[in-house]
Amino acid sequence: MTGTSVLHQSLLLAKKQDPPEHPQVNNIRLKEEECLSLLKRCSNMEEFKQVHAQVIKCWGLFSNSFVASNLVATCALSDWGSMDYACSIFRQIDDPGAFEFNTLIRGLVKDIKFEEALFIYQEMVERGVEPDNFTYPALLKACARLRALEEGMQIHGHVFKLEFQGDLFVQNALINMYGKCEEIEFSSAIFNRTDQKSVASWSAIISAHASVGLWYECLMLFGEMSREGCWRPEESTLVSVLSACTHLGALDFGRCTHGYLLRNISELNIIVQTSLIDMYVKCGCLAKGLGLFQMLAKPNRLSYSVIISGLAMHGRGYEALRVFSEMLRQGLEPDDVVYVGVLSACSHAGLVNEGRQCFERMISEHGIVPTLEHYGCMVDLMGRAGLLGEALELVKRMPTEPNDVVWRSLLSACKVHQDLEIGEVAAKNLLQLSSQNPSDYVVLSNMYAQAQRWDDVARTQIEMARKGLKQTPGFSLVEVARKVSKFVTQDRSHPEWVNIYEMIHQMEWQLKFEGYSPDTSQVLLDVNEDEKRERLKGHSQKLAIAFALIHTSQGSPIRIARNLRMCNDCHTYTKLISVIYQREIIVRDRKRFHHFKDGTCSCRDYW
DNA sequence: CTAGGGTTAG
């Protein structure tokens, strides 16, 4: 049925049925139904409006008849984006009932007009009309998206008063609403009370935990869900699970999830694919992530975002910039998060000029107001490159008050470049922000140690102790045979420590042939050279490598995650080990990855 | 007298 013919018919109808001389109820009824059937056959908004206009012209609006109700319903449920029109018809109904309210609210929610939906709901409450069990989930969805906890709780109150207290769909929507509003206890309480849980209930509770960053609990819940058996997780659940893997660096769990997806779902959607890419990249498998990215049919802004920040983490600055310009060529508009990726790519690869240009371009071309995070990247960029004065200037010029992250990155840059003067400025500001972060004191104290200012070292450490802060010990995690082992410096608590130290001894022999000599300059203890060398040997990363070399097969990569930056000596040492033992060694520190292969590191000694 | 519900990434 084409547009003209529906319109044509409505004109014919109008001609054929002039207002009757003696209108009868049945006659009107008939006309109503005829109008309705015409209106229902319309296939787009234009057509609908024209026919509607004809109907009004001939017979006036049947304002309180079921035609009007159906008009609202048709607009609300079609994909024509015609909610304004539906609202205007709705406003002409004198005494809207439950059906009109319900359809209008659901239409508004479907059209992402959440505020309006909640507004209509208030009107509904005032008139004493009850939403039905189909409308509560829509309202709760609106609250979830708007993070409108107060309204959400009001609706929950109404649901609570219902005799049946809402069905499973309403329960699931409540779990989700509280999750999105970061009220995880309420979410869990409702989840635990729900006896007939559906996949949606599990999805909702898992994503609730994901949205407050309880990643470990996410995986636990997922395990529980699988053990309960009857529910096969669906894509959306697994996206939350993958996100948890990403944040925990749980590569094995992530791989299993990928396998599960491949076995059970024929075509993965863009969200799952993007989550997979992010997981692989942030768990250290850049190549795998890049491979999946290249297979995307139509990458969107988020896909680009994850791959750009992934390349950044791996120190591949130029590639990140290339992908970024590819993204612009595709006509995708970058947002602030994409720019954080771009700027950190420049920072990790030491691309100072490129970074400056991007920062300018972000403001002038894309109209993005730089956030603290962007300034943080810029300070980092300048600082790493040794432009400490310029970095300090930038911090002073910032329109918003610099936070601890900004000062901290300036401080650590000062440590790398041994600039005690600016370092002290950064430290002073950092400590003024009443930092509870022990590592701030440690960095400062180490800087004093480097400058042989032992009095200041002592002073800083006393200050730290006075505040009851303890130095966070550095550790390295390594996964062997699906089990993660943790090593701290000089660790002798591992059941195999004797073997491990024997291995260290052998490694040192080989290293000496390659011309390795220990770099003790960063052992910041007031002890003699021999003692320093002894200390270096027992750094946690070396223990982890030794352990992995003993227990993994020739040629398989070694993955290590550590909580602190690695020292220069560990860096040189690991490069040599990678060539001597022909192993790829991937180390993740707090911020980025180092790929050691054939005697070089992906960071090109810039980190 | 009608229509029809939850969840997914950087």
Side-chain angles (χ1 to χ4, degrees):
Chain A
M1 175 75 55
T2 66
T4 43
S5 65
V6 178
L7 186 57
H8 186 64
Q9 279 193 24
S10 77
L11 290 168
L12 283 181
L13 185 72
K15 258 193 199 143
K16 199 170 71 190
Q17 297 195 358
D18 286 327
E21 311 259 330
H22 308 287
Q24 289 171 338
V25 176
N26 279 346
N27 201 0
I28 291 175
R29 185 92 200 147
L30 179 75
K31 279 201 284 185
E32 280 181 346
E33 270 163 12
E34 270 183 88
C35 298
L36 195 59
S37 87
L38 276 175
L39 285 163
K40 281 194 163 173
R41 265 151 54 197
C42 295
S43 56
N44 60 54
M45 199 55 216
E46 234 5 79
E47 212 173 272
F48 185 85
K49 278 184 182 167
Q50 284 178 21
V51 175
H52 187 204
Q54 281 301 324
V55 172
I56 293 172
K57 206 165 119 197
C58 298
W59 305 297
L61 182 73
F62 303 99
S63 60
N64 272 324
S65 73
F66 86 120
V67 174
S69 310
N70 275 286
L71 286 172
V72 177
T74 312
C75 290
L77 299 166
S78 65
D79 289 319
W80 299 339
S82 51
M83 283 314 297
D84 290 345
Y85 199 67
C87 285
S88 76
I89 301 169
F90 177 82
R91 289 290 166 219
Q92 293 167 38
I93 301 175
D94 296 335
D95 187 23
F99 173 66
E100 290 78 13
F101 272 116
N102 283 329
T103 43
L104 187 72
I105 286 176
R106 285 209 319 277
L108 286 167
V109 171
K110 193 175 155 197
D111 229 26
I112 327 185
K113 299 209 161 101
F114 301 131
E115 284 98 344
E116 286 94 322
L118 293 181
F119 184 76
I120 299 286
Y121 172 64
Q122 293 305 335
E123 211 173 304
M124 195 172 178
V125 173
E126 277 158 32
R127 285 180 180 245
V129 184
E130 276 291 333
D132 63 13
N133 247 6
F134 291 86
T135 307
Y136 277 119
L139 284 165
L140 289 166
K141 178 179 173 179
C143 295
R145 295 289 186 88
L146 294 172
R147 312 282 132 105
L149 180 60
E150 216 171 291
E151 287 83 346
M153 289 178 81
Q154 183 197 352
I155 294 167
H156 187 185
H158 288 178
V159 171
F160 202 70
K161 274 187 276 173
L162 300 177
E163 222 174 300
F164 42 88
Q165 292 196 9
D167 63 9
L168 189 53
F169 284 94
V170 179
Q171 300 291 326
N172 292 345
L174 280 168
I175 297 169
N176 183 43
M177 184 275 292
Y178 282 122
K180 285 288 176 318
C181 295
E182 310 201 344
E183 291 290 342
I184 195 72
E185 275 96 23
F186 287 148
S187 247
S188 302
I190 296 167
F191 177 77
N192 293 332
R193 249 200 1 236
T194 312
D195 16 87
Q196 283 222 321
K197 299 175 176 67
S198 68
V199 201
S201 321
W202 286 100
S203 290
I205 196 69
I206 289 173
S207 87
H209 282 81
S211 61
V212 289
L214 293 167
W215 309 115
Y216 186 73
E217 287 76 0
C218 256
L219 296 188
M220 290 291 109
L221 280 163
F222 177 65
E224 222 178 289
M225 173 183 182
S226 316
R227 271 195 303 282
E228 300 247 318
C230 42
W231 304 113
R232 295 178 81 74
E234 44 187 23
E235 276 174 299
S236 58
T237 324
L238 295 176
V239 169
S240 303
V241 171
L242 282 172
S243 167
C245 294
T246 308
H247 287 272
L248 294 170
L251 178 60
D252 257 359
F253 210 114
R255 275 203 190 113
C256 292
T257 311
H258 189 189
Y260 178 88
L261 284 162
L262 292 177
R263 282 195 304 277
N264 292 284
I265 288 151
S266 59
E267 212 161 306
L268 303 182
N269 69 27
I270 185 76
I271 302 178
V272 184
Q273 286 178 314
T274 305
S275 311
L276 274 171
I277 294 169
D278 197 35
M279 185 276 292
Y280 278 114
V281 170
K282 298 238 169 79
C283 290
C285 303
L286 179 63
K288 182 83 187 167
L290 280 172
L292 288 175
F293 180 75
Q294 270 141 20
M295 276 161 40
L296 291 182
K298 201 169 174 291
N300 62 18
R301 175 165 60 199
L302 267 96
S303 327
Y304 276 105
S305 185
V306 303
I307 205 73
I308 290 170
S309 62
L311 285 164
M313 277 187 91
H314 288 269
R316 314 253 290 245
Y318 281 114
E319 273 165 90
L321 291 178
R322 226 180 40 228
V323 174
F324 179 56
S325 52
E326 167 66 22
M327 171 182 172
L328 297 178
R329 251 202 318 280
Q330 298 290 329
L332 293 167
E333 188 68 14
D335 63 4
D336 54 332
V337 187
V338 174
Y339 263 108
V340 171
V342 172
L343 294 177
S344 78
C346 296
S347 149
H348 287 311
L351 309 175
V352 178
N353 289 329
E354 288 82 348
R356 282 200 186 105
Q357 281 164 16
C358 287
F359 192 74
E360 285 308 314
R361 201 172 170 193
M362 168 176 93
I363 299 165
S364 59
E365 229 174 277
H366 295 110
I368 295 166
V369 180
T371 63
L372 269 174
E373 231 177 325
H374 296 117
Y375 279 106
C377 288
M378 290 309 284
V379 170
D380 213 41
L381 174 75
M382 308 289 186
R384 280 167 198 273
L387 306 168
L388 295 166
E390 207 174 324
L392 183 60
E393 277 311 302
L394 189 65
V395 176
K396 286 184 182 161
R397 275 211 325 269
M398 282 171 51
T400 37
E401 214 35 48
N403 64 358
D404 57 328
V405 182
V406 173
W407 286 118
R408 196 168 292 128
S409 80
L410 184 60
L411 178 62
S412 81
C414 290
K415 174 163 187 285
V416 174
H417 296 283
Q418 306 191 16
D419 187 323
L420 200 47
E421 200 183 318
I422 297 180
E424 278 183 316
V425 176
K428 205 175 131 218
N429 281 285
L430 193 48
L431 301 186
Q432 257 174 13
L433 291 168
S434 64
S435 160
Q436 290 301 308
N437 193 337
S439 72
D440 297 338
Y441 290 90
V442 175
V443 173
L444 183 63
S445 137
N446 285 353
M447 285 178 74
Y448 286 130
Q450 238 160 6
Q452 314 267 317
R453 284 165 55 174
W454 305 109
D455 287 351
D456 288 317
V457 173
R459 189 173 50 79
T460 314
Q461 292 191 348
I462 288 167
E463 177 69 12
M464 186 172 150
R466 206 173 54 79
K467 289 207 177 172
L469 300 173
K470 281 212 174 74
Q471 179 168 0
T472 27
F475 61 79
S476 296
L477 303 172
V478 65
E479 199 181 57
V480 166
R482 306 223 150 193
K483 271 184 76 177
V484 177
S485 300
K486 180 175 177 175
F487 294 94
V488 295
T489 219
Q490 324 300 330
D491 204 333
R492 301 208 162 185
S493 62
H494 197 279
E496 292 183 47
W497 73 269
V498 179
N499 289 339
I500 293 168
Y501 280 90
E502 175 56 30
M503 187 69 199
I504 293 268
H505 190 65
Q506 282 186 33
M507 284 153 72
E508 297 250 320
W509 260 104
Q510 306 251 26
L511 285 161
K512 287 218 175 88
F513 276 116
E514 296 290 325
Y516 162 80
S517 76
D519 171 5
T520 55
S521 68
Q522 291 188 346
V523 181
L524 301 167
L525 295 164
D526 199 8
V527 293
N528 68 35
E529 197 63 14
D530 282 349
E531 177 64 24
K532 284 184 179 178
R533 289 181 174 223
E534 234 7 79
R535 292 284 177 150
L536 273 185
K537 276 190 199 178
H539 277 185
S540 67
Q541 183 168 318
K542 292 168 183 153
L543 301 178
I545 293 174
F547 181 65
L549 283 174
I550 298 172
H551 287 288
T552 57
S553 55
Q554 268 294 334
S556 59
I558 297 171
R559 290 171 200 286
I560 292 170
R562 42 180 305 147
N563 61 339
L564 303 175
R565 231 180 94 92
M566 78 184 88
C567 73
N568 280 342
D569 185 67
C570 281
H571 198 262
T572 320
Y573 188 102
T574 310
K575 282 198 284 188
L576 290 169
I577 292 289
S578 77
V579 65
I580 296 168
Y581 289 86
Q582 277 301 302
R583 293 286 193 118
E584 214 175 313
I585 301 169
I586 298 124
V587 182
R588 187 182 75 173
D589 67 18
R590 281 202 74 73
K591 279 185 164 173
R592 62 169 294 158
F593 284 96
H594 296 258
H595 283 242
F596 297 94
K597 201 186 171 194
D598 301 328
T600 58
C601 177
S602 62
C603 75
R604 282 185 249 112
D605 303 335
Y606 184 92
W607 85 95

